[in-house]
Amino acid sequence: MGRPTEVPDAPVTPATGGGGDALPPTAGTLATGAGAPVAGVPVAEAGAGASVIGAGAGARRAPEIAGAVAARRPGTARRGTADPVKSLMHRHRQLCERAVDPLEIAAGLEAHGVTDRVAARYRHRDVFSLAEELFARMPKTVTEPAAGPGAPERDVHTRAAWSLRALLPGAACVATVGVLELTEGTLGGGARLAVALTGAFLALAALALALRDGPLRAGSRSPFTAPLYGCWLLGYVLYGEPLFDQVLSGGPEGPWEITPAPLLGLALSLAPAAWCAHLFSVHARRKLRGSRALEEFAAGVRPLLFGAVALHLCVLIGLLHLARLGYGSGGAFTGTAALGVLLLLARLLTGHGYPGPATAALATACAVEALAPALILAGRLPGLHFLARPVDLLVVAGGTGAVPAVACGASALGLLITATVVLSRASAHTTARADENGTTG
């Protein structure tokens, strides 16, 4: 008792599953699994014991035990080689290759449902940071052209070009109304009708030319039915209220008067509308460059949208008053102002890639304006007088101009709510839109 246990000189045979000489009890027991600690002995002492055993068994056993113990040390576990950012880059390869800056990638990712919370899974604080890494890691196949010294001058020329084209519809309407005023009592009814039709054709051609370029350009996004709805709404401004008056009085019977003043105000407001859309686009891009989160960009771009719409409405009201002073009263003033806002929002949504809501709002306004006189006529049939009751109440409350005001105002309000949601997304302001032609500066 009291003497230390001596290690026998005979070679020690490791324990196996099939049997064999067991290790001495004083040396502890080694498990057959690689790197298992010595039972009943701390890890540090187990290493020492393994060295003693290895010394008796030969140098061939010591490296195995030492390597197994090293593999079990904390912090040395083998990490996976999967790169989530690389997989995302391959998933959106075309977007990353075509992008000219990280902002476009961020907008595209947001359009595919990647939010700041999803970006956190890729170890990034927001979508913008993730887009910057994707832009830096993706080799570009198209070289971005360097901006030469003449780029700002070309941009000024482009803005001047679409601004002048936006003035053409108003100039055509002013010329037509002026000719009709000067020739009143001189030309016959047929000649005056020819002058009016010619002026209307020139105004429509100028409108089509003005909308081919600039901030209000929609390109191929606009459905073919949208121009038809627009022509209906503009025609109602010119002929709708006199026709509705005759329907209410028992007609229609005979020719009815036209109200050119509201249409003239709308035509003159095309240039201010283009500039309001341009300012909204430019400042939204600046917000996009300065934002570091999608929520921050959305909160900053909504006041820009409201400001652009309010600015256009104020200018339109002023132009409508000027048109009334120059060419007499008549026409639905409130309905015409609501129509101007509706048309601006429709072009904004269509130009930024959302033609569906814009077309639906225009179609709704046309349907309400067509339904009102139809209900009045249907109410004259026996037993169907209740159909005309809602329209009668509306006319009693606000006059004949209440019908276009409700039709265009409700549609414009719905479209404004839609625009507040969709135009506050980064994907609605990508820099790859080729239809702006210099409106980004």
Side-chain angles (χ1 to χ4, degrees):
M1 294 181 60
R3 285 177 24 182
T5 305
E6 298 180 355
V7 180
D9 296 332
V12 180
T13 304
T16 60
D21 297 334
L23 291 175
T26 56
T29 303
L30 289 176
T32 58
V38 180
V41 183
V43 175
E45 298 179 8
S51 302
V52 174
I53 297 172
R60 180 169 51 88
R61 187 64 180 171
E64 298 177 6
I65 299 176
V69 174
R72 298 287 294 181
R73 289 176 183 172
T76 60
R78 185 179 179 183
R79 300 181 65 181
T81 59
D83 187 354
V85 177
K86 187 175 182 180
S87 64
L88 183 68
M89 181 175 61
H90 284 291
R91 194 180 311 154
H92 303 283
R93 187 177 186 86
Q94 293 183 353
L95 170 65
C96 297
E97 286 179 343
R98 292 195 307 263
V100 297
D101 58 13
L103 297 178
E104 187 175 348
I105 298 180
L109 292 177
E110 191 231 12
H112 286 86
V114 179
T115 61
D116 292 338
R117 182 175 298 180
V118 177
R121 303 175 188 172
Y122 298 94
R123 296 188 289 274
H124 284 272
R125 64 182 182 274
D126 49 43
V127 176
F128 293 90
S129 175
L130 177 60
E132 288 174 353
E133 180 176 350
L134 292 175
F135 183 78
R137 294 175 61 173
M138 173 60 66
K140 300 298 179 294
T141 57
V142 179
T143 304
E144 184 179 359
E153 183 179 358
R154 288 196 301 270
D155 188 45
V156 171
H157 290 168
T158 302
R159 295 179 186 180
W162 57 254
S163 298
L164 290 176
R165 284 193 291 267
L167 293 172
L168 293 179
C173 288
V174 169
T176 303
V177 175
V179 170
L180 292 177
E181 289 288 334
L182 293 175
T183 58
E184 186 176 2
T186 305
L187 297 178
R192 291 176 61 83
L193 179 60
V195 171
L197 292 178
T198 302
F201 175 77
L202 291 177
L204 290 177
L207 179 62
L209 180 63
L211 296 180
R212 286 179 57 187
D213 199 0
L216 296 178
R217 182 179 187 268
S220 59
R221 299 184 182 95
S222 180
F224 71 96
T225 55
L228 299 179
Y229 297 145
C231 291
W232 170 278
L233 295 172
L234 294 176
Y236 193 92
V237 170
L238 191 61
Y239 292 104
E241 190 173 358
L243 174 63
F244 196 61
D245 285 333
Q246 289 199 11
V247 170
L248 290 175
S249 61
E253 53 187 31
W256 56 86
E257 296 292 331
I258 63 174
T259 54
L263 186 62
L264 177 61
L266 283 175
L268 293 174
S269 69
L270 181 61
W275 271 100
C276 289
H278 168 71
L279 293 176
F280 170 72
S281 179
V282 169
H283 288 283
R285 296 290 178 82
R286 291 176 181 172
K287 286 287 184 182
L288 185 59
R289 293 188 186 101
S291 301
R292 299 305 307 170
L294 297 177
E295 292 80 3
E296 179 185 352
F297 170 74
V301 80
R302 291 189 190 105
L304 295 178
L305 176 63
F306 296 148
V309 173
L311 177 61
H312 174 253
L313 180 60
C314 293
V315 175
L316 177 59
I317 290 175
L319 291 175
L320 289 176
H321 278 294
L322 289 177
R324 281 194 168 193
L325 292 176
Y327 298 100
S329 60
F333 185 88
T334 306
T336 305
L339 175 59
V341 175
L342 174 62
L343 294 177
L344 173 64
L345 290 172
R347 296 303 294 187
L348 277 178
L349 285 173
T350 304
H352 285 81
Y354 299 94
T359 306
L362 294 176
T364 301
C366 293
V368 174
E369 290 182 349
L371 187 62
L375 289 177
I376 293 295
L377 294 175
R380 297 173 183 173
L381 298 176
L384 298 180
H385 60 279
F386 64 91
L387 294 177
R389 185 63 178 168
V391 184
D392 290 335
L393 294 177
L394 183 62
V395 171
V396 170
T400 55
V403 172
V406 170
C408 298
S411 299
L413 180 60
L415 211 55
L416 180 61
I417 296 174
T418 304
T420 304
V421 175
V422 301
L423 294 185
S424 60
R425 300 172 183 171
S427 56
H429 304 275
T430 54
T431 56
R433 290 182 61 217
D435 56 341
E436 291 210 355
N437 294 325
T439 62
T440 60

